[in-house]
Every structure is written in C-alpha cells, then in structure tokens.
C-alpha cells in the first residue's frame, strides 16, 4: 500500500461490514450483534467463528475452524477491521445466503 493510500485510510477509516473479535473458549457466545464476527479460541487454537447472517434474516451462522471438523473454514486474515474467511459461506436452509467474507466486507455470490 502506498503512503497516500495509507494516509487516506488514516483520515477516513473504512467501516467494515464485519469487525473481528475473539473470545476465550471453544464456543462463540450466545448473543451476537450484527456486523461482528466472533471467533472462539483457546491459546493459539481457533475453534469456531460465529456471526449473524448478513442478509438481515437474523439467523446465527457458526463455522468450524478446527482441523478435526469435516467442513472447515480458514480465518485467512485476523486483522480486526478486515477479517477474511475461506471458503465462502453458503446457508443450505432458510435464506440460503451465499457470500464471501473478504477484508471485512461481505461479497455476495450471484445465484
Ligand atoms: Zn440470512
């Protein structure tokens, strides 16, 4: 990132769609607030990430981050204001939202 961009970011901080926070333990908290991605961790081990569905339906989405899980997501960027998850999140029930979390932004997948 060049110096001008960096300076611009400092003056006008970008508001992310999702802000990352961590809790100690193996389960994310019951109560989540919109715009937050909460990751449960014990020491260096990341267990699970949770967020409220960004479509606004209010459903809770929980993603396994541990190696033992069959379906597993990677928290590629642990930056507080620009978390990135891989692969995409695709709800198979309810609203069926399909999106990526990239650099703190929700990127919707076209059906
Ligand atoms: Zn939804």
């Amino acid at each position: 990132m060049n110096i001008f961009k960096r300076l611009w970011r400092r003056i006008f901080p970008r508001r992310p769609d999702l802000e990352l926070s961590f809790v100690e333990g193996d389960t994310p908290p019951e109560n989540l607030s919109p715009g937050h991605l909460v990751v449960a961790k014990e020491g260096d081990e990341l267990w699970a990430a949770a967020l409220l569905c960004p479509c606004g339906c209010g459903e809770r989405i929980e993603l396994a981050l541990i190696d033992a899980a069959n379906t597993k997501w990677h928290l590629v960027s642990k930056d507080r204001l620009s978390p990135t998850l891989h692969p995409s999140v695709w709800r198979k029930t309810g609203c069926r939202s399909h999106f990526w979390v990239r650099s703190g932004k929700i990127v919707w997948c076209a059906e």
Side-chain angles (χ1 to χ4, degrees):
M1 202 187 286
N2 68 34
I3 187 80
F4 177 74
K5 255 187 175 171
R6 223 178 278 178
L7 193 64
W8 186 267
R9 278 282 154 75
R10 188 159 297 174
I11 302 168
F12 305 103
R14 198 169 53 124
R15 214 187 119 58
D17 293 332
L18 284 176
E19 196 176 316
L20 178 67
S21 57
F22 291 96
V23 292
E24 202 60 38
D26 57 7
T27 1
E30 275 306 308
N31 293 317
L32 299 166
S33 41
H36 287 268
L37 177 68
V38 184
V39 170
K41 70 174 189 108
E42 278 179 331
D44 285 339
E45 194 150 28
L46 304 181
W47 282 89
L51 69 157
L52 292 178
C53 182
C55 89
C57 71
E59 286 295 319
R60 176 192 179 89
I61 297 174
E62 210 166 303
L63 310 164
L65 301 172
I66 49 165
D67 281 323
N70 275 340
T71 322
K72 171 187 179 209
W73 278 264
H74 293 273
L75 188 61
V76 181
S77 162
K78 298 183 179 76
D79 193 281
R80 186 175 69 86
L81 294 176
S82 57
T84 296
L85 280 174
H86 189 85
S88 65
V89 179
W90 197 350
R91 295 199 61 219
K92 301 293 183 198
T93 56
C95 65
R96 295 180 180 271
S97 282
H98 187 195
F99 59 89
W100 291 86
V101 177
R102 281 192 187 139
S103 303
K105 292 280 171 197
I106 300 294
V107 181
W108 294 99
C109 296
E111 285 298 308

